[in-house]
Amino acid sequence: MCGIVGYVGDREATEILVKGLKRLEYRGYDSAGVALINHGLVVQKGKGKVIALEKALKADGVKSNIGIGHTRWATHGEPNDVNSHPHLSESGKIAVVHNGIIENYNTLKKQLIERGRTFQSQTDTEIVAQLLEEIYTTSKGVNFEQAIRLALKQIVGTYGLAIMNEETPDRIFIARKGSPLLLGIGEDEMFIASDASPIVEYTNKVIYLDDGEMAIVTRDSYKVKTIDDYPLTKEVHELAISLDAIEKAGYPHFMLKEIFEQPRSIADCMRGRINPDTGKIVLGGIEDVIDELIHAKRIVIAACGTSWHSALVGEYLFEQLAKTPVEVEYASEFRYRDPLIGKGDVLLVISQSGETADTLAALREAKARGAMVLGICNVVGSTISRETDAGVFTHAGPEIGVASTKAFTAQVVVLIMMALELGQRKGILSQSEMNKYIKELSKIPSKVEYILEHTDEAIQKMASLFTYAPNFLYLGRSYNFPVALEGALKLKEISYIHAEGYPAAEMKHGPIALIDEMMPVVVIAATDHTNDKMISNIEEVKARKGRIISIMNDDNPEVEQLSEFHISIPTTADCFSPLLTVIPLQLLSYYIAVNRGCHVDQPRNLAKSVTVE
Ligand code: G6P
């Protein structure tokens, strides 16, 4: 949450900062600002999106070759002009942008006020600028870099920080603890960002800062050190993402582009890993730990949001295909529960961004207790992917729409491949079963393509009929229970309609009381082994006049007859069904949100990467 950019070089900094902030807007978008140096520090900031900042900067016409910028997701202090970043020290000479939470800010603020400092904002970030200035101006023989180190020693909490001081106008100072920061290395220019998207246009050489590290960055040099002043030689990584991948490519929204990318993203995720000729699956990322995985007492999967829904699909998969016991945990609950996990257990964390604070904390907790920690991440180089013992990347390409779509299907594909590989290596799945599964799995991209082509129009029509429904209920069984949760989440996130996902049979224990002729009920009736039971549940809804929208397999006359609307999709193995059933639900929520005039890619109050706890 919150995006940080920085630039130092020969180009016009404002353009690079604004473009970078637009790419980071998925991390927060309630206010934005920049600090530049042009004969002294100049700050432009305010409530609203980056586009408002861009206009203000154009009107101002300030020129500079060095600057830092920020797009905010409010934690402390309401989103308004004053609370926007950058924050300045009292003299106005030091500017700070921050991602994270300073937990002891109240104590520090009180002390600073007692010592005579005046604060402008309600934010935790302002204390960094103020504390820093106090240390710098009152401690003898302490240069600015040392002052930063001394200030950081007093700070408890998490931070990605970029700092400028008008007295050192050629450099930007950055520091990291818990919130991601990258340094992009160009030719006589350097870039700073919370992720690679603002950098990729200019250079593919990056350094990932780790926790407890800081860097001093000028146009032609960078020095990385620990906060305790121990110099480090960091590996320079090559970015693999392309500029095309982070642009809309003619689609009105990133979300729609990402939904339609799924035939390709699913194929990319499987590429080189499944082999229909040999009937084998090899996941290179877990090859070294496969024995431990085979002998694991159990797998605990921890995740948040949509990733937690794919974890639930994973539970069904590992138990059915690999006969390995699985528990699924909300990462935020797992870490605070004194969990019984240790040697012989595997914690599998799933995270698109690889930066979610609670998921990262769960990983660290399990690691400290002796469990092997595996990851499924989309963002290469992310903190979670670097801290796990081993893992598998989803290779879905950058996901920018806040509502996750292609990351979900790619996570499920990885879980399928892991469960199949494990099932085979454990001797649970015969070669002929493997051959069957692999053959079917390789057909999934074309089946997804078919669904996108053949259902899009019908879903648009259906969406226009339900645009103003105040509530929705989503029902599913077995593999499609998590899909019901995911369908409801998608709708809530982007259209602000109240929606609940429920196991279809469990509906009788409460939600059935909500059903009347006003209630759209989306039933996901596309697995064979639960079809009869699902039909009974649909009857129960119909008896109470609920409006049934079903996602069903081609040729299911009973479900079709019971439904007011139905979307037919191709059949597949039950355990692959979520990869197909989720697609119409993504489209439905998208079109309803568009009809309601909602900001699909940047829904209110949400952020894509939740780096606070
Ligand atoms: C936020 C996003 C969701 C995402 C969740 C977990 O809530 O808006 O789309 O599913 O975080 O994120 P992760 O990056 O860990 O998968």
Side-chain angles (χ1 to χ4, degrees), residues 437-490:
Y437 280 127
I438 289 179
K439 200 165 158 212
E440 180 54 29
L441 193 54
S442 57
K443 289 186 193 153
I444 293 289
S446 56
K447 291 189 177 182
V448 171
E449 189 145 22
Y450 177 92
I451 296 171
L452 289 167
E453 265 173 34
H454 291 83
T455 65
D456 187 52
E457 228 179 277
I459 293 172
Q460 286 191 46
K461 281 195 193 130
M462 206 161 74
S464 61
L465 295 173
F466 290 102
T467 295
Y468 296 103
N471 298 291
F472 263 77
L473 185 60
Y474 286 71
L475 301 176
R477 278 176 173 265
S478 174
Y479 281 99
N480 282 314
F481 158 53
V483 176
L485 296 178
E486 176 60 9
L489 178 66
K490 285 291 83 84

Side-chain angles (χ1 to χ4, degrees), residues 30 97 108 210 233 309 344 369 394 396 403 444 448 498 541 583 586:
D30 55 46
V97 293
L108 291 173
D210 283 306
T233 310
H309 295 156
R369 289 169 186 247
T394 46
I444 293 289
V448 171
H498 168 247
V541 174
I583 309 288
Q586 294 169 346

Side-chain angles (χ1 to χ4, degrees), residues 304-307 350-354 356 402 404 411 493 607-608 610:
C304 303
T306 289
S307 300
I350 305 180
S351 174
Q352 186 285 129
S353 62
T356 302
V402 166
S404 185
Q411 287 164 351
E493 281 179 312
K608 184 141 192 79
V610 181

Side-chain angles (χ1 to χ4, degrees), residues 14 38 45 56 77 117 124 312 396 419 480 504:
T14 46
N38 182 339
K45 64 177 187 173
R117 293 218 153 231
D124 52 339
L312 288 178
N480 282 314

Side-chain angles (χ1 to χ4, degrees), residues 139-185:
S139 320
K140 268 214 178 111
V142 165
N143 66 25
F144 192 60
E145 183 192 320
Q146 289 163 329
I148 293 176
R149 274 200 293 278
L150 292 171
L152 293 183
K153 291 250 164 73
Q154 292 190 41
I155 283 170
V156 178
T158 55
Y159 51 79
L161 286 168
I163 304 169
M164 289 200 313
N165 178 355
E166 67 175 38
E167 290 182 11
T168 53
D170 64 335
R171 57 199 56 206
I172 301 172
F173 300 84
I174 56 176
R176 169 189 165 143
K177 188 180 164 214
S179 304
L181 272 183
L182 274 74
L183 175 62
I185 304 161

